Amino acid sequence: MTRPVNVAILGATGSIGQQTLDVIDRNPARLRLFGLTEGRRSTKRSAEYLIQGQAGEPDFDARVEAMVTDPRCDLVVVAIPGARALAPTLAALTAGKEVALATKEVLVMAGALVMRAAGERGIRPVDSEHSAIWQCLWGERRESIRRLILTASGGPFWAHPDLDLDQVTVEQALNHPRWSMGPKVTVDSATLMNKGLEVIEAHHLFGVTLDQIAVFIHPQSVVHSLVEFVDGSLKGQLGHPDMRLPIAVALGYPDRLVDAVPPTALEELGGLEFHALDEGRFPSVRLAREAAKAGGGHPAVLNAANEEAVNAFLAGGIAFSGIVWAVERAMAAFGGSRDSLQEILEADRWAREYVKVNSGRLRT
Ligand code: MG
């Protein structure tokens, strides 16, 4: 391509959005900021589209759709959190755009619909684990995959088996040992629900069965994930935790952007540990598999109930251990549905209402 790739960023003021701007700034010959959405805070950028506000506000949704379907736009980075990223992602894919996806909820809620809209192009993952797997799969055939191995840091509580999860404070939950991220995903890391959502995300992104996806605790967060092939070979992708790398991989594909992150000094890495996941203490991954197997609106219920329960926890309304419990209650109470967009959105609304109405009783 002779001209730079025109990049639109949904959620430019968040952590991923800011780092995406950084990657664009450092590669002016290859990447150009075409448009962005920003919340209350201004990015003070100039671009064809500068959209302020939030999903659901007057004009916002229409302007976002105009930006992501604009013929001059090449690539859309989706980095607004949660369920409201779904509609603009589908609009961009339907318009034939490349999508770099940081918002895993989009694939959790509506993976089949989204992958159908993406078609042969597929989706460029920005989630670090999925970026690692994507990179391991370049040049490989689908039938060569035995299983995908997602690594999890374990969050702040995994290494403290005696800690009472009923008594965990918001400050403790937000104190992630390896990654600096927004509050929602940081709490999801502490409950391991982040990994549950990532199992569903990997299932859709790479077209493997749920049983072909394993989760291991890897406290150092150096091996970002691995693929095991049918011949027994293991490929992993390594490096210091730095989200600019998966962002640069997604924006530069199929090329690699020079010096996207500082090189990793192998002699400084020390030991690498891998541990089986204790699903009794952290049932999130099991719940996510169950939701994905049940299909229809169940993954949307898992996701929405989790989002509401995390909000309730951050606001002091429920205990930390109440988050996963709320998700389990909502899934058990859900009547089921098929996987049309309308029914998925209905399941999402139902689960949010369920958790709100019941959050008094969910106080554990
Ligand atoms: Mg991740």
Side-chain angles (χ1 to χ4, degrees):
M1 191 177 287
T2 49
R3 67 165 174 81
V5 174
N6 275 331
V7 181
I9 307 173
L10 302 181
T13 42
S15 166
I16 296 290
Q18 291 289 305
Q19 294 177 82
T20 302
L21 287 169
D22 185 43
V23 171
I24 293 171
D25 288 345
R26 293 174 57 170
N27 295 275
R30 303 198 42 130
L31 303 169
R32 182 176 162 273
L33 180 64
F34 175 69
L36 56 79
T37 74
E38 52 194 13
R40 308 283 167 240
R41 218 151 32 95
S42 169
T43 54
K44 301 189 174 69
R45 296 283 175 148
S46 60
E48 269 86 343
Y49 289 84
L50 292 172
I51 307 173
Q52 282 164 337
Q54 282 178 357
E57 290 179 358
D59 293 345
F60 182 89
D61 295 344
R63 294 186 66 205
V64 167
E65 179 161 345
M67 174 174 74
V68 303
T69 59
D70 189 307
R72 296 167 295 170
C73 176
D74 301 309
L75 190 153
V76 179
V77 178
V78 179
I80 45 175
R84 58 213 166 93
L86 177 56
T89 302
L90 282 170
L93 289 171
T94 305
K97 308 303 182 189
E98 295 286 346
V99 168
L101 185 65
T103 311
K104 65 197 75 182
E105 290 88 340
V106 165
L107 285 171
V108 172
M109 288 179 73
L113 285 176
V114 170
M115 294 313 291
R116 216 176 298 141
E120 285 293 299
R121 281 193 321 285
I123 301 260
R124 303 184 186 186
V126 173
D127 209 348
S128 61
E129 294 82 355
H130 304 74
S131 175
I133 289 169
W134 188 42
Q135 294 173 62
C136 291
L137 289 176
W138 289 352
E140 302 282 358
R141 293 182 184 167
R142 169 88 54 85
E143 56 270 27
S144 301
I145 303 170
R146 180 176 287 154
R147 61 176 184 160
L148 311 180
I149 299 169
L150 290 172
T151 54
S153 71
F157 309 133
W158 171 82
H160 304 282
D162 297 330
L163 190 73
D164 181 356
L165 295 182
D166 287 340
Q167 305 299 327
V168 161
T169 65
V170 171
E171 289 69 29
Q172 287 173 309
L174 290 181
N175 184 22
H176 194 277
R178 296 283 164 189
W179 294 90
S180 171
M181 306 173 290
K184 160 71 166 54
V185 64
T186 305
V187 174
D188 283 348
S189 294
T191 58
L192 271 292
M193 185 57 84
N194 185 52
K195 216 47 56 176
L197 300 176
E198 287 181 354
V199 167
I200 304 177
E201 184 185 11
H203 165 62
H204 291 297
L205 270 176
F206 304 113
V208 298
T209 66
L210 291 156
D211 298 327
Q212 281 179 290
I213 306 169
V215 172
F216 279 83
I217 303 288
H218 168 51
Q220 291 79 21
S221 297
V222 165
V223 181
H224 299 309
S225 277
L226 309 99
V227 178
E228 184 181 312
F229 294 94
V230 290
D231 59 1
S233 173
L234 267 179
K235 269 166 95 173
Q237 187 262 327
L238 287 72
H240 286 302
D242 187 335
M243 283 308 293
R244 285 174 305 172
L245 196 274
I247 293 166
V249 171
L251 266 55
Y253 180 81
D255 298 326
R256 287 193 180 268
L257 303 181
V258 176
D259 293 330
V261 292
T264 299
L266 286 171
E267 68 276 19
E268 288 171 12
L269 284 183
L272 300 177
E273 300 164 50
F274 298 89
H275 304 272
L277 175 65
D278 176 357
E279 295 202 3
R281 190 160 182 248
F282 296 104
S284 299
V285 171
R286 172 181 58 78
L287 286 175
R289 277 187 218 280
E290 286 172 9
K293 277 184 180 156
H298 284 89
V301 168
L302 173 95
N303 175 62
N306 179 58
E307 236 176 85
E308 286 303 322
V310 169
N311 288 340
F313 167 68
L314 289 172
I318 63 171
F320 178 79
S321 53
I323 298 171
V324 171
W325 201 69
V327 173
E328 190 154 23
R329 294 301 311 145
M331 283 197 11
F334 181 58
S337 69
R338 288 185 294 277
D339 62 356
S340 71
L341 182 59
Q342 196 188 339
E343 284 172 296
I344 286 167
L345 294 174
E346 184 49 44
D348 176 271
R349 274 191 294 274
W350 176 87
R352 286 172 200 282
E353 194 58 27
Y354 179 87
V355 172
K356 273 182 193 145
V357 167
N358 291 287
S359 60
R361 270 182 279 159
L362 295 170
R363 210 187 299 263
T364 56

